[in-house]
Amino acid sequence: MRTKHSITVLLTILLLSGHGITFAQNGADGDGYYSISGVVMDSHNRKAVSNVNISAVGTSIGIISNEDGGFLLKIPDSLMVNEIELSCIGYVNAKFMISRNMRQNQTYLITPHSFVLSEVEVFSWSNPRDLVELAMSKVSENYSTKPNLLTGFYRETIQKRRNYIHISEAVIQVYKSSYQQGSNFDRSQVLKGRSLVSPKKSDTLDVKFLGGPNMPVYLDVVKNPDVVLGPEYIPYYSYRMGEATSINNRMQYVVHFQPQAVVDFPLYTGTLFIDRETLSFTRAEFSMDLSDKLKVTNFILKSKPMGLRFTPDEVLYTVTYKQLNDKTYLNYIRNEIRFKCDWKRRLFATNYTIVNETVVTDNVEENPSRIPARDAFSMNKSLSQEVAAYYDEDFWGAYNIIEPTESLENAVGRLKRQMR
């Protein structure tokens, strides 16, 4: 069984016949903005903090820090922004004054949240399933009742063992109808993108995401609750309360879930974070149950060359939301798949890791235009087939992107040299 809005991402494994690179539609030219850059660190241990939300206060513009804690936030000159706000699960929100001419690459310290809750507060829900169902019943009032046009940054990488063999990136727009409606009109389109694919013959095994930029449409687990949060699927899981935490200076119920039924498609194990005041979902972390790897393989793998054996090792998801003006909006999605591939008669399998992530960098809620079907990104395509070569250093202009980690920057340099 595969549901209409399956939250898994289909994979195709095929042999490369070329790079398939074409130019995509152009985006902003980069004029009329200034940048704020830096590294976010824990104030106690001075370690880098990843996945920190960095927002321009008073606007819908934002980005997240990378795995090294680094970020670059681009702010239009037309906006009178004096502060940025940093927020992260388990940390106290922090605001910092900014100016156009301030020094770049500064260190921004955030403090871990320390709080004490009474036993009554932590375990006030004797049946956590009731809490999950009540939170689902409030989706139509907690989430946007208007259509939205999101701008986001999407990146997917493929590693063969520890080496990057594929990097694709794009600025995307996503039309999302009201959370009171279905997702029939929700679509993504690529505004601008680029791709690098290893030219080495030993890297000719290519594992591609189909429809990767459509993640904000199909992996929005609140709007598309199939498998995890839908009323048909909630009974498939057992639930227990976890230790409460803080996100964006707001206390959160924490609910852990795991499969308690056997069905003909994979289930998930994970954690839900639910705002204690509004009962909106603010974060979901979950992984596919791999107790039956053949079932998982049949579910996520669309096609592969004959004779190739595919073994999934880990399928992980993170989906986050943030509150703005008393409503909750999609903020960030990450999917990571680790697997092995080997050909029959070979002694050793090769480890692969695919990571794709999308961060929402801006949001228009006033009279947004729908994305026509002809411009929508097809689920049957991979991003590398649709975007440009990876050469222009000023490629992104005014668009906000997730800053590449140091290891990714080094990988880009190596792949560029191989392409020459």
Side-chain angles (χ1 to χ4, degrees):
M1 173 181 178
R2 182 171 282 134
T3 58
K4 181 179 178 183
H5 296 300
S6 171
I7 60 174
T8 191
V9 178
L10 300 180
L11 300 177
T12 281
I13 298 181
L14 66 158
L15 295 177
L16 281 175
S17 58
H19 301 297
I21 295 176
T22 57
F23 281 93
Q25 193 175 350
N26 284 330
D29 60 11
D31 295 330
Y33 70 92
Y34 63 98
S35 300
I36 305 296
S37 64
V39 177
V40 185
M41 291 186 174
D42 185 302
S43 63
H44 288 184
N45 57 27
R46 295 299 177 112
K47 291 184 178 180
V49 184
S50 62
N51 292 331
V52 178
N53 287 301
I54 300 98
S55 304
V57 174
T59 76
S60 58
I61 296 172
I63 196 62
I64 64 167
S65 63
N66 64 22
E67 292 182 3
D68 298 334
F71 74 90
L72 174 68
L73 180 67
K74 299 172 183 177
I75 302 172
D77 289 332
S78 59
L79 299 178
M80 301 298 293
V81 177
N82 300 314
E83 290 180 305
I84 57 173
E85 184 170 22
L86 278 60
S87 62
C88 184
I89 182 171
Y91 287 85
V92 179
N93 283 22
K95 289 185 177 180
F96 298 89
M97 298 297 296
I98 61 168
S99 66
R100 180 183 179 89
N101 299 317
M102 69 183 294
R103 182 171 60 86
Q104 299 298 303
N105 298 316
Q106 297 193 56
T107 298
Y108 294 82
L109 301 178
I110 56 177
T111 304
H113 207 303
S114 59
F115 50 85
V116 178
L117 295 177
S118 70
E119 190 172 326
V120 173
E121 287 177 307
V122 176
F123 299 102
S124 57
W125 288 86
S126 58
N127 186 348
R129 173 176 162 178
D130 291 343
L131 172 60
V132 173
E133 291 179 326
L134 181 58
M136 283 303 299
S137 73
K138 290 181 171 291
V139 166
S140 61
E141 61 184 84
N142 281 329
Y143 296 79
S144 180
T145 58
K146 300 178 181 179
N148 288 256
L149 187 63
L150 312 178
T151 300
F153 176 72
Y154 171 82
R155 174 184 286 140
E156 66 184 36
T157 61
I158 302 174
Q159 287 179 274
K160 179 181 179 182
R161 301 184 184 93
R162 294 186 177 182
N163 296 320
Y164 287 93
I165 62 171
H166 176 118
I167 303 166
S168 291
E169 301 173 326
V171 173
I172 62 174
Q173 280 191 328
V174 185
Y175 178 86
K176 296 187 76 68
S177 57
S178 162
Y179 276 72
Q180 296 174 332
Q181 301 175 345
S183 56
N184 292 337
F185 295 104
D186 293 8
R187 296 190 178 105
S188 297
Q189 68 175 340
V190 173
L191 298 182
K192 193 176 190 182
R194 61 186 186 179
S195 180
L196 270 178
V197 179
S198 172
K200 294 174 62 177
K201 290 184 178 180
S202 59
D203 293 333
T204 55
L205 180 68
D206 186 25
V207 184
K208 292 186 177 181
F209 278 103
L210 294 186
N214 285 311
M215 286 173 58
V217 175
Y218 295 104
L219 288 179
D220 183 346
V221 294
V222 171
K223 193 170 188 186
N224 297 319
D226 293 351
V227 182
V228 174
L229 296 175
E232 178 182 350
Y233 304 100
I234 284 180
Y236 295 161
Y237 298 94
S238 62
Y239 301 86
R240 62 179 178 86
M241 296 299 296
E243 184 177 348
T245 190
S246 170
I247 299 177
N248 198 26
N249 283 358
R250 299 176 65 89
M251 294 306 304
Q252 306 288 317
Y253 291 115
V254 178
V255 180
H256 304 293
F257 64 91
Q258 63 183 29
Q260 65 172 3
V262 177
V263 293
D264 61 356
F265 54 91
L267 297 177
Y268 300 85
T269 298
T271 303
L272 303 170
F273 298 81
I274 301 173
D275 186 279
R276 193 174 68 169
E277 181 180 339
T278 65
L279 296 186
S280 63
F281 293 94
T282 52
R283 187 180 181 95
E285 301 171 353
F286 51 103
S287 61
M288 192 172 286
D289 178 18
L290 297 180
S291 58
D292 186 337
K293 291 194 175 184
L294 179 59
K295 184 191 298 183
V296 172
T297 298
N298 292 336
F299 191 70
I300 70 174
L301 193 63
K302 187 173 179 66
S303 64
K304 65 180 180 67
M306 185 175 296
L308 183 75
R309 292 183 292 199
F310 173 91
T311 305
D313 290 329
E314 204 168 33
V315 185
L316 306 173
Y317 303 89
T318 300
V319 183
T320 74
Y321 301 83
K322 70 177 180 180
Q323 194 172 59
L324 183 66
N325 300 327
D326 299 323
K327 292 293 182 181
T328 305
Y329 299 86
L330 184 66
N331 180 55
Y332 175 72
I333 295 174
R334 178 185 171 93
N335 179 209
E336 181 173 344
I337 301 179
R338 298 179 182 274
F339 59 94
K340 295 183 181 71
C341 283
D342 68 295
W343 296 92
K344 292 178 181 178
R345 303 186 192 91
R346 288 190 180 178
L347 294 177
F348 302 105
T350 302
N351 294 313
Y352 290 87
T353 302
I354 296 181
V355 175
N356 69 13
E357 56 185 340
T358 302
V359 60
V360 175
T361 59
D362 204 356
N363 181 12
V364 174
E365 197 170 31
E366 296 300 324
N367 301 316
S369 300
R370 287 183 181 176
I371 296 173
R374 65 179 180 275
D375 296 332
F377 191 86
S378 170
M379 282 293 292
N380 295 320
K381 293 181 178 179
S382 65
L383 181 61
S384 61
Q385 296 171 331
E386 300 298 307
V387 296
Y390 205 109
Y391 295 108
D392 183 1
E393 294 297 330
D394 298 318
F395 184 80
W396 299 117
Y399 287 121
N400 276 299
I401 70 167
I402 303 173
E403 278 290 272
T405 61
E406 184 178 354
S407 62
L408 187 59
E409 283 187 325
N410 292 337
V412 168
R414 285 194 298 270
L415 287 173
K416 282 184 177 179
R417 289 192 293 272
Q418 292 172 13
M419 295 286 288
R420 291 171 185 166

